[in-house]
Amino acid sequence: MSASDRPYRKVLVERTAEEATTTAATLLKTIVCEAVSQRGACHVALAGGTTPHALYQKLAAEGASGEVPWRSMEVFFGDERDVGQDNVESNYRMVQRTLLDHVPIEPTKVYPMRGDAEDLQAAASEYEQAIRRLLPAGAGGLPRFDLILLGMGGDGHTASLFPGSEALNEGKKLVTSHYVPVLGRRRLTFTFPLVNAARNILLLVTGEDKAKAVLGILTDDQESRQLLPAGRIAPTDGILYVILDAAAARLTGLTHA
Ligand code: 6PG
């Protein structure tokens, strides 16, 4: 176990963003195949942002011929912007164009968040109800995703859980809508109780501009770690894989094995 591994966390450092993407794709495929063979389905929540584009494109390029049992997948989204599905800012639209349009997934098993709903809190609560209905619950009674894919911003935000925002301390709602002062916009997002109940969380972070935040979330000091939203990812009974390229890991002292 390296200095930056904790019992629930495994940090993997690759030389380049491309290699980090390949590692993420391999891990994702292993997790999906295992979930489908053990439980007959895989419930996954995908991330927005630019980092996962290459990962989605890689999976899309393998398409139907790859190892992923797409027909047994149920696809959710960890966060969404306050826009409709056709808007260029929509996470759903990005994932649809880079991945979902190219693989044999059942359209009825893809669950976009309603980012253009007039009442976003009602949309968040509907989404939570759908998750509670469709996912098996774990020992703590919370629905358990087989896999939640996440990215991280340079300020340490993950999903739409931004530093200083009210959603960070949400202990009851599993999905919420909140105003993010730094964006001047509302977002829909999973909250930590739902994130941390997952079986597997894959946090993919690349690039020099994330190095400081990466150092912050990997520190052994729990109090400082929790200052950054992504530092609060700590699965209660699952595994967090942090996949980095060398640029993002630069300040941690961790290198490619
Ligand atoms: C979003 C995300 C968000 C993202 C980070 C990193 O909707 O934008 O879900 O949490 O993962 O902002 O974004 P980049 O990959 O673009 O750096």
Side-chain angles (χ1 to χ4, degrees):
M1 190 156 80
S2 90
S4 259
D5 283 342
R6 309 184 71 77
Y8 60 79
R9 184 177 80 193
K10 199 156 178 43
V11 183
L12 304 164
V13 181
E14 301 298 350
R15 263 179 289 256
T16 63
E18 202 184 332
E19 286 174 19
T21 299
T22 303
T23 297
T26 305
L27 204 48
L28 181 144
K29 287 187 270 191
T30 306
I31 291 168
V32 172
C33 291
E34 195 181 284
V36 172
S37 77
Q38 290 181 1
R39 293 178 292 281
C42 179
H43 297 89
V44 55
L46 296 177
T50 49
T51 311
H53 284 194
L55 169 62
Y56 297 153
Q57 281 160 349
K58 193 174 180 56
L59 296 168
E62 295 175 14
S65 60
E67 300 146 48
V68 180
W70 291 106
R71 288 192 175 79
S72 304
M73 299 257 300
E74 309 251 357
V75 177
F76 296 78
F77 298 82
D79 73 321
E80 188 54 276
R81 287 98 193 272
D82 56 347
V83 296
Q85 291 173 11
D86 291 336
N87 190 291
V88 283
E89 289 183 41
S90 158
N91 282 344
Y92 168 76
R93 180 182 189 266
M94 180 277 283
V95 177
Q96 184 190 34
R97 293 190 168 207
T98 52
L99 175 63
L100 303 176
D101 278 350
H102 311 281
V103 292
I105 193 150
E106 302 279 349
T108 54
K109 293 184 179 175
V110 178
Y111 307 95
M113 286 177 163
R114 289 199 302 118
D116 58 353
E118 209 161 286
D119 182 344
L120 283 177
Q121 198 53 259
S125 142
E126 255 171 46
Y127 207 73
E128 172 172 338
Q129 291 319 313
I131 288 172
R132 287 189 183 274
R133 198 174 57 246
L134 295 160
L135 269 70
L142 292 174
R144 280 196 101 180
F145 276 94
D146 294 295
L147 171 65
I148 298 183
L149 176 69
L150 292 170
M152 181 180 75
D155 61 355
H157 80 261
T158 189
S160 281
L161 296 160
F162 286 79
S165 67
E166 59 190 80
L168 290 185
N169 298 319
E170 178 59 58
K172 262 181 115 176
K173 293 186 193 119
L174 304 185
V175 183
T176 193
S177 153
H178 65 148
Y179 178 75
V180 182
V182 67
L183 302 174
R185 305 266 294 264
R186 291 191 77 81
R187 289 273 181 108
L188 286 157
T189 186
F190 281 14
T191 62
F192 283 117
L194 180 58
V195 169
N196 287 332
R199 286 177 190 274
N200 299 280
I201 301 168
L202 208 158
L203 180 66
L204 175 63
V205 184
T206 60
E208 172 90 35
D209 54 324
K210 309 278 174 76
K212 206 162 161 225
V214 166
L215 180 64
I217 65 161
L218 294 184
T219 172
D220 283 335
D221 177 39
Q222 193 182 341
E223 235 168 82
S224 337
R225 201 167 63 236
Q226 298 225 333
L227 294 175
L228 296 176
R232 299 196 193 190
I233 307 171
T236 44
D237 184 23
I239 303 184
L240 163 63
Y241 296 95
V242 182
I243 304 181
L244 307 169
D245 66 351
R250 192 175 65 85
L251 302 175
T252 63
L254 298 169
T255 48
H256 175 68

